Amino acid sequence: MTVSIASHLQRFSGHLAIATWLLIGIGGATRVMNAGLACPDWPLCYGSWLPWQQFNLQVFLEWFHRLDAAVVGCGTLVIALVAWRSRSQLPRFWPWAATGALLLVGLQATLGALTVTELLRFDLVTAHLGTALLFFVSLLGLQAALQPRSPLNAGQSLPRLLLLVTAIAVYGQCLLGALVGSRWALHQCLAGSQLCTVLQSHLWGIAPTTLLVISLSVVAWLRGQHRWASQLAALLGLQLLLGWGTYFWHLQIEPLTIGHQMVGAALLGWIASAGFRSAFSPLSSVSEEKNHDVKQRQQTEVPA
């Protein structure tokens, strides 16, 4: 594998993952600021690529959200094209995985268009965030698959099943939170006892998800991954605190709601990254190479 191609694609995938995480935050800000329909048409905004005359905070949020999404989409296209062009120098599955990420971008763009044309239908809004999270995780997987071969790091000594189940639970909680937000279930439940089941489904999911994350953190700590375990526990604590604040102030403090969504995505990414590092364990690859080198030396040695 050519190190330059792999290292460039790994860094670019990582940068694109960060951009996607920020995009998720911008999308959350667009929703809580009631800016989802600030641009009544799609993909243009008031029939223009740059609607100077209509600009206010809400229009800017929706317009910038689309701009950022376009930049991320173009970056993903570049990754896919470079991967196929350099496929002989990359792991065999990597170009296909990059193409899968590109398809997720296309699906995400389609859902984004439908959220506008269908006037923020709650199932489309929820699916929009769910696809964004899957795309975010796929970029982390692309990055992990090209990680430099190095000594044992976080994830490689953790139970893969526990990582997978915890990641699925956190993802499910993110979707339930998106459903609560897209249906304004908190406001409707507190004001008129409507959609309380939707709100309670998210609240009921807190306990098992929290227990799974705590268990993962404890296992990581016991296996010597102290820094990773501490950071995971800190993310969990921050997420619970933001969730409590969001509920207590009834979604009236926008930064709390946006932060709750972004930290939830970060928690999912943190766990998924460890899972990918476990799946693409560089330590085993190093061991295989060492064994291969030993066999080659043995075969080339001339008996005395």
Side-chain angles (χ1 to χ4, degrees):
M1 182 189 301
T2 302
V3 176
S4 60
I5 293 293
S7 60
H8 287 319
L9 286 175
Q10 186 201 22
R11 285 196 297 269
F12 194 37
S13 298
H15 294 329
L16 210 55
I18 294 173
T20 302
W21 179 69
L22 294 174
L23 180 59
I24 290 172
I26 296 170
T30 302
R31 180 180 59 81
V32 301
M33 296 295 292
N34 294 315
L37 295 177
C39 293
D41 47 348
W42 193 97
L44 302 179
C45 185
Y46 288 97
S48 172
W49 294 109
L50 195 61
W52 286 109
Q53 295 181 352
Q54 291 81 14
F55 261 156
N56 55 33
L57 178 58
Q58 290 180 316
V59 173
F60 176 78
L61 279 173
E62 173 63 7
W63 173 82
F64 188 75
H65 179 59
R66 297 183 187 183
L67 176 64
D68 195 8
V71 171
V72 170
C74 290
T76 309
L77 177 61
V78 170
I79 283 180
L81 291 175
V82 173
W84 280 108
R85 185 174 182 179
S86 307
R87 58 186 179 275
S88 62
Q89 305 170 35
L90 296 168
R92 184 174 299 176
F93 69 89
W94 211 91
W96 293 102
T99 303
L102 185 61
L103 292 176
L104 281 175
V105 168
L107 176 60
Q108 180 71 351
T110 302
L111 290 170
L114 289 174
T115 58
V116 176
T117 59
E118 297 297 321
L119 304 178
L120 302 181
R121 216 174 73 188
F122 74 89
D123 53 343
L124 293 173
V125 174
T126 304
H128 190 50
L129 176 62
T131 306
L133 291 171
L134 288 177
F135 173 65
F136 172 56
V137 168
S138 71
L139 290 174
L140 295 174
L142 288 173
Q143 181 193 31
L146 297 179
Q147 63 182 337
R149 293 173 178 178
S150 59
L152 191 68
N153 55 25
Q156 291 172 250
S157 65
L158 298 178
R160 295 183 183 180
L161 180 60
L162 180 58
L163 284 165
L164 177 62
V165 172
T166 306
I168 292 174
V170 173
Y171 179 72
Q173 273 296 92
C174 290
L175 289 185
L176 288 173
L179 188 61
V180 170
S182 62
R183 301 197 70 179
W184 298 98
L186 177 58
H187 296 85
Q188 295 197 54
C189 181
L190 296 178
S193 298
Q194 297 180 357
L195 298 179
C196 289
T197 303
V198 175
L199 173 62
Q200 290 167 358
S201 65
H202 183 54
L203 298 178
W204 289 336
I206 293 175
T209 304
T210 300
L211 182 61
L212 282 169
V213 176
I214 291 176
S215 299
L216 182 58
S217 180
V218 170
V219 171
W221 183 274
L222 293 176
R223 296 193 177 189
Q225 307 290 347
H226 296 163
R227 182 177 179 182
W228 188 88
S230 300
Q231 291 167 337
L232 178 64
L235 278 175
L236 175 63
L238 179 59
Q239 179 69 346
L240 292 174
L241 182 62
L242 289 170
W244 174 84
T246 300
Y247 182 88
F248 183 80
W249 278 288
H250 302 173
L251 301 176
Q252 297 302 310
I253 302 180
E254 289 84 359
L256 286 179
T257 307
I258 298 167
H260 188 50
Q261 181 170 300
M262 293 188 72
V263 175
L267 188 63
L268 174 63
W270 196 254
I271 297 169
S273 292
F276 286 127
R277 286 194 293 269
S278 176
F280 302 119
S281 174
L283 197 64
S284 60
S285 300
V286 171
S287 299
E288 291 174 2
E289 282 196 355
K290 287 182 178 179
N291 292 333
H292 180 68
D293 292 341
V294 169
K295 289 180 180 179
Q296 280 191 330
R297 285 197 298 268
Q298 291 175 346
Q299 291 174 358
T300 56
E301 286 179 354
V302 178

